[in-house]
Structure formats: C-alpha cells, structure tokens
Amino acid sequence: MILTTGTAGFIGSNFILDWLASTDEPVINLDALTYAGNLENLATLQGDARHTFVQGDIGDSALLQRLLAQHRPRAVLNFAAESHVDRSIAGPEAFIQTNVMGTFRLLEAVRAYWNDLPPDEKSAFRFLHVSTDEVYGSLGAQDAPFTEQHRYEPNSPYSASKAASDHLVRAWFHTYGLPVLTTNCSNNYGPYHFPEKLIPLCITRALSGAALPIYGDGQQIRDWLYVGDHCSAIRRVLQAGTPGEVYNIGGWNEKANLDVVRTLCATLDKLQPRADGASYATQITFVPDRPGHDRRYAIDASRIARELGWKPAETFETGLRKTVQWYLDHPQWVANVTSGAYRQWLGQQYGG
Ligand code: NAD
Ligand code: DAU
C-alpha cells in the first residue's frame, strides 16, 4: 500500500480518486483537515476498503511512526502543505510550521522506518514530494520556461517555505540515501478546487453575481494544468522516476490572468447564461495588486516527456469546460465550502 499526506485537499483528493480508479492498491490518507481539507471530496469512496482516512498532522512524529509501523507502505507521497500565496502574505507562520517543520518531521519518521526495512523493500521504497514551480521565482516576458536546473528564487512566504521543503528532501537523499522524488508543478485547476484560488473563486463568484477581482493589470502569466493530468504525472514519476531526481510538470498552457477569467466568463455565458443576457465578463473588477506578485511562471515539461513518456491529455479549453461544468453540477459542494470561515477570508482579502 501507499501512504499519502494532505490528500483531503484539492490535488490530493483528485489523486486518491484517480489512484483508486487505476489500481486496487490501498491508500492510507493522512490529513489534518485544515480549512482546505474536505472529506466531501472523497464521499464517493465511502465504504471502499481500499481507502483509509486518518486525521492528523505531518508534524506529529509519534503518529507518523505508528502509521508507518502499522501499515508498512511501499511509498509515501507528501501533498500536505499550506498552499495559498495570499494567506501566506497575511500570516506566514502556518506555512513555516507545515511546509518546513512538517516536511522535516515527515522525512525523519520516514527515514527511521525506511532504515529498518529488509533490503529488497528498502531499495524499492520511494518518498515523493509534491512541490511547485513558484520556487523558481518570476520569469521575464522573453525568458525560457523553467527547467529542473533553474535556480531557486522564491519570492513569497509560500514559495520560500516550499523551497525550504524541497531543499530538505534533496538533503535527505544526498546525506542519508533516502530514495526521494520531487515534482515541481505549475498551476492546477479542476474539480474540488477550493474557491480561494483564481479559477474556482471566479466561477463561484460569477454565479453568485459578485465582482471578479483581478489583481493589478491582470497581465501576470501562469501555466495551467488540469488536475487529472497532474495526477497521472505523479503516478508515472512514482512508477519510473529516478531517486534523487526532480521532474517539472506543466501544461504548456501559458495564459494571462485576464484572459483566463475572460475565457471562463465566455464558457459560463454558454453553459449557464445570466438571466439578464449580459456577459459574466461585466463582473470583472480590477483591484490592488498582490504584494511581491510574480509576473510570469512557465514550465518546461520536456524532461518528464522525454524520460518518462508523460504528457498532458487536456488542453486549457477542454479542461476549463470540464471544470466549469463540474461546478455547475455540484452546487451543494460549493454551498458547503463557501460558508462561515470562507466568508471571513473573503472579507479580509477583498473587503466588503
Ligand atoms: P490544498 O490547500 O487544497 O490542500 C492541502 C491539504 O493539506 C489540505 O487537505 C489540508 O488539510 C492538508 N494539510 C495542511 N496542513 C497539514 C498538516 N500539517 N498535516 C497534514 N495535512 C495538512 O492544496 P493543493 O492545491 O491540493 O496542493 C497540494 C500540494 O501541491 C501542495 O504541496 C502544494 O504546494 C502543491 N502544488 C499545488 C499547486 C496548485 O496549483 N494547487 C501547484 C503545484 C504544487
Ligand atoms: O504555480 C503553482 C502555484 O499555483 C501553487 O504552488 C499554489 O499552491 C497555487 O495556489 C497557485 O498559486 P498562484 O498564486 O499562482 O494561484 P492563485 O489562484 O492564487 O492566483 C493565480 C493568479 O491570479 C495569480 O497571478 C494571482 C491572480 N489572482 C488571484 C486571486 C486569488 C487575481 O488576480 N485575483 C484573485 O482574486
């Protein structure tokens, strides 16, 4: 079996659903259930003996030791993190706690477990760390996309904490020989995406008649990847990646934020037109920029294509249409995640 962390969140829950749709290998899902964790994402697995959920923190060494000894996984995949850049600006401490200290504690628990494995299990074991393209910093308009050799230049508390975790993972390979794999992925979108991030924020706010907030001039560029493609890339890296190596994952889909939101509005205009016949694009509103806002991210995903034969299946247009349709089909999920603490966050971040 495998043990995954942070897999009640957006990418992690998609990963578990994808994993169990493609294999019968059981999975232990360890998640602290912060505001971003949501067991409703995994409701379709109720009663499925292949999935075991454990609520807990990756910083809890005693719990980790117990879980590893009890379940004896052949791999540990670390998705757990504080993941939202704006929240890291408003309050960085939780990011240092989970992304740096949590990863450290997880690495130490896994190292102790791995050290005691019999030789064949020890050499087959993998620790896969899920990271981000944001560790590479910001690109200029004419710069080549990030390769795995790009220097680390993180600019936000979030990306600095992820960079620190990547460095720890690398050091545990070089110093202790722990067979690690690191993936650095670009912006994901798709089902179960918490509506604090640009795409789900704008879909849910468009439908509720609220303003669609665009930071600064809206010309910042991100490289969008459908979450299902990220999941298939992680499965492939786990299966065939070389320990100690890094794999960049991206969709070859660079888009300016304003174009993303305009495309999203045009998709909604077709799938669920506004009652007054106006376009959802009339709700677009420019708001003050994010401090330290990175201008452009772009991933060169040629290594994973060349060495592991992975490439994305979705284009931005097909992925976005599926995503918008998913939100239209799941109003109860949206209603449940947009209550209480979420509304407080919106008030703090956007005012009003
Ligand atoms: P998310 O915020 O939706 O989910 C994070 C999950 O981790 C939640 O379920 C939360 O409860 C859990 N968690 C947080 N702190 C924890 C702790 N201390 N112990 C155990 N669980 C904890 O994040 P996501 O978008 O699904 O991102 C998953 C991973 O992928 C993160 O490591 C993130 O840095 C990375 N990543 C995300 C993107 C993206 O576009 N969303 C892109 C590249 C990489
Ligand atoms: O690049 C990978 C990263 O992508 C992941 O590591 C992070 O976990 C994930 O949150 C995401 O970070 P971003 O900051 O790029 O995503 P976000 O959806 O917050 O913002 C996308 C772009 O849209 C960014 O340029 C900021 C802008 N934006 C965002 C929000 C929330 C707006 O213009 N308005 C908004 O209200």
Side-chain angles (χ1 to χ4, degrees):
M1 66 168 59
I2 61 167
L3 187 150
T4 59
T5 71
T7 26
F10 162 50
I11 299 174
S13 58
N14 275 283
F15 179 82
I16 295 219
L17 294 172
D18 179 77
W19 179 263
L20 292 176
S22 57
T23 169
D24 278 333
E25 185 174 5
V27 51
I28 309 296
N29 172 357
L30 172 67
D31 194 296
L33 295 184
T34 68
Y35 78 93
N38 184 357
L39 286 179
E40 242 187 286
N41 300 0
L42 296 163
T44 53
L45 294 179
Q46 236 167 26
D48 190 327
R50 299 171 304 166
H51 174 238
T52 304
F53 177 75
V54 179
Q55 182 169 3
D57 196 308
I58 57 165
D60 183 343
S61 305
L63 172 65
L64 293 170
Q65 190 191 359
R66 218 166 44 244
L67 284 178
L68 290 164
Q70 184 186 347
H71 298 289
R72 301 185 61 78
R74 68 162 177 105
V76 172
L77 284 73
N78 182 32
F79 294 80
E82 289 293 336
S83 70
H84 190 33
V85 174
D86 293 324
R87 287 188 195 251
S88 83
I89 296 167
E93 186 152 352
F95 290 72
I96 306 305
Q97 205 51 46
T98 284
N99 301 359
V100 186
M101 281 307 293
T103 304
F104 161 69
R105 294 248 168 78
L106 181 61
L107 280 166
E108 277 296 81
V110 169
R111 180 166 76 90
Y113 161 73
W114 169 78
N115 257 331
D116 288 344
L117 288 175
D120 54 332
E121 288 178 39
K122 196 171 175 180
S123 61
F125 183 83
R126 297 289 181 267
F127 178 89
L128 190 151
H129 178 62
V130 178
S131 192
T132 170
D133 59 0
E134 300 203 10
V135 297
Y136 299 126
S138 186
L139 290 169
Q142 305 306 323
D143 292 341
F146 302 126
T147 66
E148 289 80 358
Q149 282 73 45
H150 200 280
R151 64 183 279 195
Y152 271 41
E153 291 177 320
N155 293 318
S156 72
Y158 164 68
S159 55
S161 67
K162 290 296 288 186
S165 69
D166 293 7
H167 291 325
L168 292 174
V169 170
R170 176 187 160 91
W172 262 238
F173 172 75
H174 283 279
T175 304
Y176 303 112
L178 186 70
V180 306
L181 299 157
T182 299
T183 55
N184 292 88
C185 188
S186 61
N187 284 62
N188 284 220
Y189 66 100
Y192 306 111
H193 204 182
F194 191 74
E196 62 186 353
K197 310 282 168 61
L198 181 69
I199 288 182
L201 179 92
C202 287
I203 296 173
T204 53
R205 285 174 71 89
L207 292 170
S208 67
L212 310 181
I214 303 286
Y215 296 158
D217 63 2
Q219 293 308 311
Q220 303 82 6
I221 290 173
R222 298 292 182 265
D223 178 355
W224 294 95
L225 181 71
Y226 188 69
V227 65
D229 282 328
H230 189 187
C231 295
S232 70
I234 291 173
R235 276 195 283 118
R236 185 65 189 138
V237 172
L238 180 65
Q239 180 185 45
T242 303
E245 294 299 331
V246 173
Y247 297 90
N248 281 356
I249 305 170
W252 301 102
N253 260 323
E254 287 186 57
K255 307 270 177 214
N257 293 337
L258 189 55
D259 294 334
V260 167
V261 176
R262 283 192 177 132
T263 309
L264 183 160
C265 289
T267 309
L268 273 174
D269 288 340
K270 278 199 203 100
L271 296 178
Q272 188 157 302
R274 263 174 46 156
D276 64 1
S279 169
Y280 289 96
T282 58
Q283 292 167 232
I284 290 175
T285 309
F286 290 88
V287 300
D289 209 350
R290 171 186 279 177
H293 199 171
D294 286 336
R295 196 69 183 165
R296 175 177 166 234
Y297 305 141
I299 279 280
D300 180 338
S302 49
R303 177 184 200 182
I304 188 172
R306 193 176 56 247
E307 295 183 14
L308 304 184
W310 175 88
K311 60 178 174 35
E314 301 290 346
T315 64
F316 185 67
E317 288 65 32
T318 60
L320 189 69
R321 197 183 164 88
K322 277 188 185 177
T323 303
V324 171
Q325 190 63 58
W326 187 88
Y327 279 86
L328 290 172
D329 292 344
H330 293 82
Q332 196 53 53
W333 185 93
V334 172
N336 293 347
V337 299
T338 53
S339 60
Y342 174 73
R343 278 208 284 272
Q344 247 172 24
W345 165 252
L346 290 187
Q348 178 187 331
Q349 180 66 9
Y350 302 101

